[in-house]
Amino acid sequence: MLVLLAAGCGGGRGSSDAKASGGLPSATTAAAPETPLPSAVPTTPAPEAAAHAETEVLKVYRLMSAEYEKAYRAASAEGTDLRQYMTPTASSGVEKELARMKEQGAAMRGELGHEPEVTALAAAAQPPTATVRDCVDASRWQTLDTTTGWRIPRPTDRPARYVATAALEHRAGERWKVTAYTAHRARSC
C-alpha cells in the first residue's frame, strides 16, 4: 500500500530539466497513467505537490511575460515563443492587439516589472487550473511612435502600476499554459 500512496502523491506529471534551444525549459513529458486509489485514500495532492505546481505556474507565467514584452517591443508575435506559454485562444487576443498597434505605428520600449502571485490553485482538478494575480509596474515601459521615434505619453487616467490576471491550465503531456490574460490597466495596485 505504501508504494501505491507514493505513486499517487507524485501528481501524475513528469518533467524534464533539459533546455530547449534558446535556454527555455522543454515541455513537460507525459507520465504513465496513474493507478486508481482506493476511496479511503484522500485524493488531495500532498503539500509538496501543490508547492511544486505553484512553482511551475509562476515559472510559466514569468516566461510568458518575457515573451509578451518581446512581442510588444516589435509590435508582432513573430519571433517569440508566446504560443509555447499561451493557448491559441489566449495568444490570438494578444496578436490582435499587436496588429492594431502595428497598424497605428506604435511599439513599446523599456521593461515591465512584475510581482506575480498564485491566488488560486486547483491541483487536483481535471485538468489542474490556477489563477495568477500580478502587479505590473509600467513606469519604465513607454509607447513609441515607430515613424518618428517619439515617446507617446501614457494616458493620465492610467496608473504606472496596474493589476493583471492570468488563468492557467495544465493538460496531460503538456506544461502549464495561460488560457486567459487580462491587463486591468485602469486598476492600480
Side-chain angles (χ1 to χ4, degrees):
M1 182 67 172
L2 182 59
V3 173
L4 182 60
L5 285 173
C9 291
R13 292 183 297 274
S15 65
S16 170
D17 291 328
K19 301 282 184 180
S21 64
L24 298 175
S26 62
T28 303
T29 57
E34 292 184 27
T35 305
L37 297 175
S39 60
V41 178
T43 58
T44 304
E48 300 84 26
H52 176 72
E54 185 172 326
T55 299
E56 289 300 309
V57 164
L58 289 173
K59 180 179 175 181
V60 167
Y61 179 81
R62 286 184 179 107
L63 290 167
M64 182 278 305
S65 296
E67 294 302 309
Y68 179 91
E69 288 180 41
K70 186 191 298 183
Y72 276 79
R73 284 186 195 106
S76 173
E78 286 184 38
T80 70
D81 289 327
L82 267 178
R83 288 189 177 242
Q84 189 173 348
Y85 305 109
M86 300 179 96
T87 61
T89 302
S91 65
S92 71
V94 171
E95 289 168 2
K96 286 178 186 174
E97 191 173 328
L98 291 168
R100 188 173 45 252
M101 280 180 59
K102 191 171 199 158
E103 189 176 288
Q104 294 172 352
M108 304 305 292
R109 295 294 181 267
E111 61 185 48
L112 293 171
H114 296 278
E115 295 176 18
E117 63 179 331
V118 176
T119 57
L121 177 63
Q126 290 304 320
T129 59
T131 303
V132 171
R133 180 189 184 276
D134 190 4
C135 183
V136 179
D137 182 353
S139 60
R140 295 184 311 240
W141 190 242
Q142 302 173 1
T143 307
L144 294 182
D145 181 323
T146 57
T147 57
T148 65
W150 291 66
R151 187 172 78 91
I152 300 170
R154 179 184 16 252
T156 56
D157 62 339
R158 288 197 180 165
R161 293 171 57 88
Y162 61 86
V163 174
T165 55
L168 290 90
E169 187 175 282
H170 186 270
R171 294 188 182 152
E174 296 183 8
R175 71 176 55 199
W176 284 90
K177 283 194 174 186
V178 174
T179 59
Y181 178 82
T182 307
H184 308 277
R185 291 185 178 98
R187 199 167 122 203
S188 66
C189 55

